[in-house]
Every structure is written in structure tokens, then in C-alpha cells.
Amino acid sequence: MSLDKHIALVTGASRGIGQAIALTLGRRGATVIGTATSEAGAAAIGETFSAEGIKGTGRVLDVTDAGGVDALVKSIGDEIGSPTLLVNNAGITRDNLLMRMKPEEWDAVIDANLNSVFRLSRACLRGMMKARQGRIINIASVVGVSGNPGQANYAAAKAGMIGFAKSLAREVGSRGITVNTVAPGFIDTDMTRALPEDQRQALLASIPLGRLGDAADIANAVAFLASDEAGYITGETLHVNGGMYMA
Amino acid sequence: MSNIEERVKKIVVEQLGVKEDEVTTGASFVDDLGADSLDTVELVMALEEEFECEIPDEEAEKITTVQQAIDYINANLG
């Protein structure tokens, strides 16, 4: 499942799931541009790539900045080549019970998690249409399908990504471009490590495979959807959650 | 035939996969040349590249025939 031909753009690649995705795609031969919100984060991505012998670079990107998104995609096109593989991974949480949720918390999550998918996908589509091939992979979440108290904003954004992917898949299928979603369950990252022990145990009891997922579990699913072998899969949501939710 | 007309027609032939003699100046991309909505978006992209310009979305929507494409290029770049 070589990804040699791909130029991959992975947002939110400095840590967690995004980092694992960027490294996995890179190890399979893709040229990877990983984005981070800070200069230091972008530099660290570049250093990790160098150490691993991965082709590519780290770049600074705020996915809520429309001008910044367009400028980045243009400069990648000029310097390296238009991305043929886009992984919309960057995201944030602002958890709160809906009764207490501030409009800013709602807006920030929708903007960073969902509006960003619109911006990035739109910017990358031109190159993919010309190339008559492309892969767009959104990283959603099980909570976008199952719901979760305290995460109405996050779940709405993640469910929105799924509807977006299905619609775009219908629009651009005739041009050899597939659009899919990976919905991670509970993955062992900084975010889930912050949970209290009793909540963590309750969570584990609800997962048939009896463990939290690794970031690599998600990265492997993304690499599969990016591969030629997955060429007939589009508009699909791939749940990677140890069985905690079965769609 | 002006140079711009030739270039526009060449792009239409390439993008829509139609024969040269079908691409009359009055031909409608959708009704006469079998383009779907995505084809028309791609056609505008190809025109932008050929003529090194940016055609705003609201202008692009008005370009539905070969003649309108030629007119737009002539008016804005000619």
C-alpha cells in the first residue's frame, strides 16, 4: 500500500492522532506537509520528519484563517506540488453543558472543526480536479454519531463533517476523488489522559476490545483509505473504536 | 477568427471532450455540449489558467455559452 505518488496535507500534525497520521503516511512514501498552529510546532514536525527520513515539512497554519489556508495551499502547490491527499484532522474541544455553553464556545468549535474542513477541502479541490485523483479524509469522532453530554458543539461539528464528506463524495466522484471520514473512539492522547480514574474505568468497561485506542490505530485506517486499494470506497465513515459503538 | 476565440474553443474541446465543429460560438455548454455543472466549474478553471486571470464566482455563473466566454475574456483581458 505505497503512497509514493501522494503529496499529503495533514492539519494538526504536531501531536496526538495528527502526528501519528503524518508519520504513517510519510513512512509509506507520501510527501507530507504537516501543519501546527505555532512556529515551534511546525519546526518540530520538520525535525521529526528528518529524523525518520520522511519527505516533507512542517508549516504554520491556523485553520480558522481563510486567507492563511488559501495561501498555504497555494505555496505548497508552487513549491512542492498540489496536495492529492488532504487529512482534515485539526480540532479543538470547548466542553460544557449546553445550558452553560457560551456562544463563543459553540462558535470556536464549529469554526475550528467544521468550517476548517470547508476551507481546506475547497482550497485543495482545484488541484485534485486537475489531477483527476485525490483523497480527502476527515477525522471525526464517535461522539458525532453517538452523542456525548457536554459536547453538543463538538458532536455537532463532527456529525457535520460526516454529512459534508457524503455530499462532496457525490460531487467529485466522477473526477476520481474520494471523500471519507474516520471516526475514532477513545484514543490514548493528552485529551483522554486527563480523565479521572473512575471515568477511565467506566469507559474501558464499555469497549469490547478492553483498551483505549492508539493514535496508530487511527493512522492505519487513514493510510488504508488513502491507498489505491481503497479506491472504491467513498462517502464512508470508518469507525475505529474497539467496538464501543457499532454503526 | 481571433486568437482569443481559437484559444477558448480549444479549451472547450479539451475540457468537454467534444468535436471542434460542435463548438460554435453560440453553443451552450450544458444544452449543446453536454456539460454538467461540475464540467462548467472546471471549464472556468481552465480558462483562468489559460488566460492567467481570476474569474469571480458571480461572473463565472454568467458564462454559459462559448460566445459569453469569449466576450468575458475580451472585455476583461483583451
Side-chain angles (χ1 to χ4, degrees):
Chain A
M1 299 206 292
S2 165
L3 300 173
D4 282 347
K5 68 180 178 186
H6 277 297
I7 296 170
L9 174 57
V10 182
T11 63
S14 63
R15 61 199 168 102
I17 291 172
Q19 182 182 47
I21 292 169
L23 294 175
T24 299
L25 298 178
R27 288 183 193 126
R28 297 197 187 191
T31 301
V32 185
I33 297 91
T35 76
T37 49
S38 69
E39 289 285 354
I45 291 169
E47 283 159 24
T48 310
F49 285 1
S50 299
E52 291 252 358
I54 289 169
K55 299 183 298 264
T57 176
R59 298 287 293 268
V60 175
L61 178 67
D62 172 0
V63 296
T64 67
D65 171 12
V69 167
D70 288 341
L72 176 70
V73 172
K74 185 173 185 312
S75 83
I76 294 169
D78 291 344
E79 293 162 27
I80 302 169
S82 295
T84 52
L85 168 54
L86 167 65
V87 183
N88 286 309
N89 169 75
I92 60 168
T93 54
R94 294 285 184 275
D95 297 353
N96 214 338
L97 293 172
L98 192 78
M99 302 273 294
R100 297 189 185 282
M101 190 176 287
K102 295 177 184 67
E104 304 83 67
E105 291 170 331
W106 172 268
D107 288 341
V109 167
I110 298 296
D111 197 25
N113 296 23
L114 183 59
N115 295 350
S116 62
V117 173
F118 163 73
R119 292 182 194 110
L120 267 302
S121 302
R122 194 173 190 276
C124 290
L125 264 176
R126 175 179 281 248
M128 292 181 185
M129 297 265 288
K130 271 188 72 181
R132 286 286 187 275
Q133 61 158 332
R135 294 275 192 271
I136 297 176
I137 301 168
N138 295 333
I139 308 304
S141 167
V142 65
V143 308
V145 185
S146 68
N148 199 25
Q151 292 200 304
N153 50 2
Y154 188 73
K158 294 302 188 179
M161 291 169 93
I162 293 172
F164 173 94
K166 290 178 180 179
S167 298
L168 186 57
R170 290 182 187 274
E171 281 187 26
V172 297
S174 64
R175 302 305 193 267
I177 301 166
T178 68
V179 190
N180 290 292
T181 305
V182 173
F186 278 89
I187 307 301
D188 192 14
T189 62
D190 293 345
M191 212 194 287
T192 47
R193 266 173 232 135
L195 287 173
E197 185 57 25
D198 57 332
Q199 272 190 41
R200 193 180 169 87
Q201 287 307 321
L203 197 59
L204 282 173
S206 71
I207 302 173
L209 290 180
R211 65 172 177 89
L212 296 186
D214 289 325
D217 292 319
I218 306 307
N220 289 334
V222 171
F224 167 65
L225 288 172
S227 72
D228 287 348
E229 284 81 350
Y232 199 55
I233 301 173
T234 194
E236 186 55 83
T237 303
L238 182 51
H239 287 271
V240 184
N241 60 31
M244 70 173 286
Y245 180 91
M246 301 183 196
Chain B
M1 200 189 281
S2 76
N3 186 29
I4 284 176
E5 183 171 333
E6 277 171 38
R7 286 161 71 192
V8 168
K9 285 185 172 177
K10 183 164 169 287
I11 285 167
V12 173
V13 167
E14 282 169 8
Q15 282 293 321
L16 302 184
V18 291
K19 294 196 188 76
E20 263 182 77
D21 55 10
E22 290 178 82
V23 186
T24 58
T25 47
S28 153
F29 301 129
V30 173
D31 296 333
D32 301 317
L33 302 175
D36 66 18
S37 56
L38 193 57
D39 288 323
T40 60
V41 172
E42 280 191 301
L43 191 59
V44 169
M45 276 168 43
L47 290 170
E48 287 177 334
E49 274 175 26
E50 171 71 19
F51 296 99
E52 292 174 354
C53 64
E54 251 182 65
I55 304 175
D57 288 343
E58 56 274 20
E59 294 295 327
E61 282 165 18
K62 294 182 204 151
I63 302 175
T64 63
T65 67
V66 177
Q67 187 63 56
Q68 284 165 353
I70 294 165
D71 290 346
Y72 180 85
I73 301 294
N74 272 326
N76 292 278
L77 300 152

